[in-house]
Amino acid sequence: MAGVGLGDIVASVVDGVLIGGLYGLVGVGLALIWGVMEVINFAHGDYMMLGALATYFLATRLGLDPLLAAPVAFGLVFLLGVATQRTVINRILDAPLLTQIAATFAVLLIIRYGVQAAFGPYTRRLSSWYANEIYYLGPVVIPLPKLIAFMASVAVAAVLYFFLFHTRTGIALRATAQDREVAQLMGINVHRMYELAFGIGVGVAGLAGAIASLFYPVFPEMGAFFALIAFIAVVLGGFGSVFGAFLGGIIVGVTEAVSALFIDPALKDVVAFLLFIVIVLVKPTGIFGKKV
């Protein structure tokens, strides 16, 4: 701690913001699903892993740049999410919370160990021309892949904001989140909205996985850590608040990065979990505790 200066703190804050954008993007999908359907998707991190894996294969087998492969990964995971909603989630919407947890946990096991059986437990890494590019701004070190990941995360969050607040379908989604019965009376196809919400929610997670693959290893269990962080981001931002979750992810990223200056970096995730406990005890509704 004695050797930590202002420059170190500024560098850590910048690094935390960059990685926090990715955390926030994973949390956004989780918050959207909860906000519209009130289902806690325990398999959320594994859909992220599918996006990363799809990007890896598109890049290595077809030669696509990972950034060009990312929209394709979103589309594939979106379609899988719609199929999951129709075959599994739709049947448990009105079931007890424990049943919902068991069902989404079963989906988690199917995806994670299905991928492991099909493609092996190997750790894969993507390479690109910008993988090792680094910018220096005084004491601040900015790896280009992380900068791209942050900018892409902000862009996706902005597009999602426009979709939810400035399109008829997005407004219908928000109406469904506010009151399912009133939305039905207004002529909104609620089940179609559920399919859309789950597809977009896990699709955004898949997109986050594609972005993460720029600098993070791809392996079957990679989603477990990001799912935990996403839960913290969502609770911090307010369960059901899409943009609160994005802000929560950035706060978690900065908290981790700055705390690593003062404690063993291996324990920085513990600080994030302590933050989670404090928020639950002090402000259980989070910073923006309202729906979508």
Side-chain angles (χ1 to χ4, degrees), residues 18-42:
L18 294 181
I19 191 67
L22 182 63
Y23 291 166
L25 193 58
V26 184
V28 159
L30 190 64
L32 179 65
I33 293 171
W34 170 260
V36 176
M37 306 171 66
E38 297 190 353
V39 170
I40 301 175
N41 180 24
F42 275 79

Side-chain angles (χ1 to χ4, degrees), residues 240-260:
S241 172
V242 170
F243 303 101
F246 189 77
L247 180 60
I250 291 178
I251 294 174
V252 171
V254 172
T255 302
E256 280 188 346
V258 174
S259 63

Side-chain angles (χ1 to χ4, degrees), residues 47-65:
Y47 286 100
M48 178 191 176
M49 176 272 293
L50 288 177
L53 192 65
T55 302
Y56 174 83
F57 282 124
L58 287 168
T60 56
R61 302 291 171 82
L62 301 181
L64 279 179
D65 185 280

Side-chain angles (χ1 to χ4, degrees), residues 190-216:
V190 171
H191 289 290
R192 182 62 58 83
M193 291 300 108
Y194 287 162
E195 291 176 2
L196 197 58
F198 200 84
I200 292 175
V202 299
V204 169
L207 193 54
I211 294 170
S213 69
L214 297 177
F215 59 90
Y216 198 85

Side-chain angles (χ1 to χ4, degrees), residues 39-43 89 92 99-109:
V39 170
I40 301 175
N41 180 24
F42 275 79
I89 306 301
I92 59 166
T99 302
Q100 294 182 353
I101 291 173
T104 57
F105 190 72
V107 173
L108 176 159
L109 295 176

Side-chain angles (χ1 to χ4, degrees), residues 24-25 27-32 74 153-167 170 173-174 196-197 200-201 204 242-243 246 292:
L25 193 58
V28 159
L30 190 64
L32 179 65
F74 168 83
S153 299
V154 172
V156 172
V159 169
L160 190 58
Y161 175 85
F162 180 85
F163 171 72
L164 287 174
F165 286 87
H166 297 285
T167 68
L173 265 176
R174 292 171 55 217
L196 197 58
I200 292 175
V204 169
V242 170
F243 303 101
F246 189 77
V292 184

